[in-house]
Amino acid sequence: MTLSREQAHYLFGVMRLTEGAEVALFNGRDGEWRARVDEAGKRGGMLACVEQTAPLVLPPDLWLLFAPIKKARTDFIVEKAVEMGARRILPVSTEFTNSERIRQDRLQAHAVEAAEQCGATYVPEVAELARLDRLLADWPDGRHLMFCDEGRAGQPVPLPDIPGPWAILIGPEGGFSEAERSRLHALPFAHPVALGPRILRADTAAVAALTLWQSMLGDWR
Amino acid sequence: MTLSREQAHYLFGVMRLTEGAEVALFNGRDGEWRARVDEAGKRGGMLACVEQTAPLVLPPDLWLLFAPIKKARTDFIVEKAVEMGARRILPVSTEFTNSERIRQDRLQAHAVEAAEQCGATYVPEVAELARLDRLLADWPDGRHLMFCDEGRAGQPVPLPDIPGPWAILIGPEGGFSEAERSRLHALPFAHPVALGPRILRADTAAVAALTLWQSMLGDWR
């Protein structure tokens, strides 16, 4: 593969690799590879894949939808979604969403870093910010949606044991609006789930919901 | 109650309350109270409790033991332990613990803030840093210990359904040493639990382990 200027700078400027050196490569789609530096230059270079060292391991078909919050906590949700094994990450805007903008490219880069950290060979796609009502209007057939309903805090509302593709929806810090809650409750593919008697921050709720799903329906079983 | 200089500064200097104003009070032990300012001064003052507005709600008898990591993530674990409903928080040092010091007073203040945020009336005590081997040698009778065993990643190792007091142990980022793992496996009160096939950061593992426990044995049921 040919290297970009940034990649060449990192490998040959920062890490000071020379021709013949070996590195571990992953692109989020083809597993992990051992690769050799064939050409090292300040502005570019060439790597040759030698052998695959780990296969691509896909997480279960689970999407995480969340309403973006303050920057640090949004980054955190993306990091946690990767570690916890979400297949796709979809920032959504709701009536009470605090932040109307995201930097999709920055969040995607954050997902790559998180995958490196946790030894995952798969990197979930971070989608552009979309409106929740539009996503729900155009919802894919057969995908179930678990939404964390603050109105039911303290009641035991367990996750239904239905296999197949799922999505988790984490509301904004201000909660869903009444109109959103009524709509969610009326959707045949949506299932309310309560996350205990205390109010959770959105980032905590994301990890907790992913844990419940993975341990019951996902690859933690 | 008599106010400290800091409390008086906040109420009368920053918030500009005057005599007769009302505030919500909680001390982590007696629930939440409506209180009235009886005396307002720059360096002190007096509040009178008018009536209890919320009872003390104790979380289940669950301790969280964790090996401190970088400052921001240690703060984060304390915050999450409060939100998720741990009764006591015990920083422990292990063979591979990265940080040998904590600021107990700062972490305790962080626990108070987290309780305010999540509407909890109980504030768990944050203990001083202690050595894991000493804690295990002096372990209280009848308390079970769930430890997250990275060596079993990917195997389904569910939490055993045993009621009573429990503790969760989250290892350091470098994992437990072989000696620690053997010792933990040999302890009759310790139960290994696996948290899925991906490597989790310590802060993620803390929230995930607390979720599993609360949903199966705690106050999320």
Side-chain angles (χ1 to χ4, degrees):
Chain A
M1 64 170 280
T2 314
L3 294 172
S4 70
R5 198 167 171 150
E6 290 73 32
Q7 289 169 328
H9 171 73
Y10 181 75
L11 288 181
F12 312 128
V14 181
M15 299 299 291
R16 306 200 170 265
L17 298 185
T18 50
E19 278 159 33
E22 292 197 333
V23 291
L25 275 192
F26 85 112
N27 63 3
R29 292 184 306 274
D30 300 307
E32 193 182 83
W33 288 73
R34 189 156 61 85
R36 193 187 52 236
V37 176
D38 270 1
E39 223 185 283
K42 278 203 173 169
R43 290 172 191 180
M46 188 79 81
L47 297 185
C49 288
V50 178
E51 62 168 347
Q52 197 182 33
T53 45
L56 174 68
V57 180
L58 271 180
D61 190 359
L62 174 67
W63 296 356
L64 179 70
L65 282 65
F66 75 99
I69 37 179
K70 278 184 283 182
K71 181 181 163 300
R73 289 192 191 258
T74 297
D75 289 354
F76 187 84
I77 289 181
V78 168
E79 172 188 306
K80 292 329 180 201
V82 175
E83 282 180 55
M84 297 293 303
R87 182 83 67 94
R88 259 186 101 196
I89 300 170
L90 299 98
V92 295
S93 62
T94 67
E95 288 189 44
F96 299 155
T97 295
N98 314 86
S99 164
E100 290 302 327
R101 275 193 198 180
I102 57 157
R103 282 274 313 271
Q104 188 277 338
D105 56 339
R106 219 178 43 77
L107 292 179
Q108 187 66 66
H110 212 68
V112 172
E113 268 172 54
E116 285 171 6
Q117 270 283 342
C118 77
T121 51
Y122 176 80
V123 179
E125 175 213 355
V126 181
E128 289 285 354
L129 187 67
R131 279 177 51 174
L132 177 63
D133 53 357
R134 292 196 187 145
L135 269 179
L136 293 177
D138 199 30
W139 194 252
D141 280 348
R143 184 174 296 274
H144 291 273
L145 177 70
M146 157 183 178
F147 73 98
C148 303
D149 186 359
E150 294 194 339
R152 303 219 179 174
Q155 292 172 51
V157 186
L159 181 62
D161 188 5
I162 307 170
W166 273 83
I168 290 171
L169 168 61
I170 302 295
E173 303 257 290
F176 295 111
S177 71
E178 263 318 300
E180 283 167 342
R181 286 191 63 216
S182 314
R183 179 160 184 209
L184 284 164
H185 278 282
L187 292 170
F189 55 82
H191 309 271
V193 167
L195 300 174
R198 285 158 296 269
I199 303 162
L200 302 186
R201 283 176 183 269
D203 52 352
T204 319
V207 178
L210 287 160
T211 303
L212 288 181
W213 193 90
Q214 288 288 19
S215 62
M216 192 164 152
L217 296 166
D219 63 12
W220 286 30
R221 284 170 302 173
Chain B
M1 64 170 281
T2 314
L3 294 171
S4 71
R5 203 169 166 147
E6 291 73 32
Q7 289 169 327
H9 171 73
Y10 181 75
L11 289 181
F12 311 129
V14 181
M15 299 299 290
R16 304 199 170 264
L17 298 185
T18 50
E19 278 161 32
E22 289 195 336
V23 291
L25 275 192
F26 84 112
N27 63 2
R29 292 183 306 274
D30 300 307
E32 193 182 83
W33 289 74
R34 188 156 63 81
R36 193 186 55 235
V37 176
D38 270 359
E39 224 186 283
K42 278 203 173 169
R43 291 176 189 174
M46 187 79 82
L47 298 183
C49 288
V50 178
E51 61 166 347
Q52 198 183 33
T53 45
L56 174 69
V57 181
L58 271 180
D61 190 359
L62 174 67
W63 295 355
L64 179 70
L65 281 65
F66 75 99
I69 36 179
K70 277 185 283 184
K71 181 180 164 300
R73 289 192 191 258
T74 297
D75 288 355
F76 186 85
I77 290 182
V78 168
E79 173 187 305
K80 292 328 180 200
V82 175
E83 283 180 54
M84 297 292 302
R87 182 85 66 93
R88 259 187 101 197
I89 300 171
L90 298 97
V92 295
S93 61
T94 68
E95 288 190 43
F96 298 156
T97 295
N98 314 86
S99 164
E100 289 303 326
R101 273 191 198 185
I102 57 158
R103 284 275 312 270
Q104 188 277 339
D105 56 338
R106 219 178 43 77
L107 293 180
Q108 187 66 67
H110 212 68
V112 172
E113 268 173 52
E116 286 169 6
Q117 270 283 343
C118 76
T121 51
Y122 176 79
V123 179
E125 175 213 353
V126 181
E128 289 285 356
L129 187 67
R131 279 177 52 175
L132 177 63
D133 54 357
R134 293 198 186 145
L135 269 177
L136 293 177
D138 198 28
W139 194 251
D141 279 348
R143 183 174 296 274
H144 291 273
L145 177 69
M146 157 183 178
F147 72 98
C148 304
D149 186 0
E150 293 194 338
R152 304 222 178 169
Q155 292 172 51
V157 186
L159 180 62
D161 189 4
I162 307 171
W166 272 82
I168 290 172
L169 169 60
I170 303 294
E173 304 258 290
F176 295 111
S177 72
E178 263 318 302
E180 284 167 339
R181 285 191 63 216
S182 315
R183 177 158 186 211
L184 284 165
H185 278 281
L187 291 170
F189 56 82
H191 310 271
V193 167
L195 300 174
R198 286 160 296 272
I199 302 161
L200 303 185
R201 282 177 185 268
D203 51 352
T204 319
V207 178
L210 287 161
T211 303
L212 289 181
W213 193 90
Q214 287 288 18
S215 62
M216 192 165 152
L217 296 166
D219 62 12
W220 287 30
R221 285 170 302 174

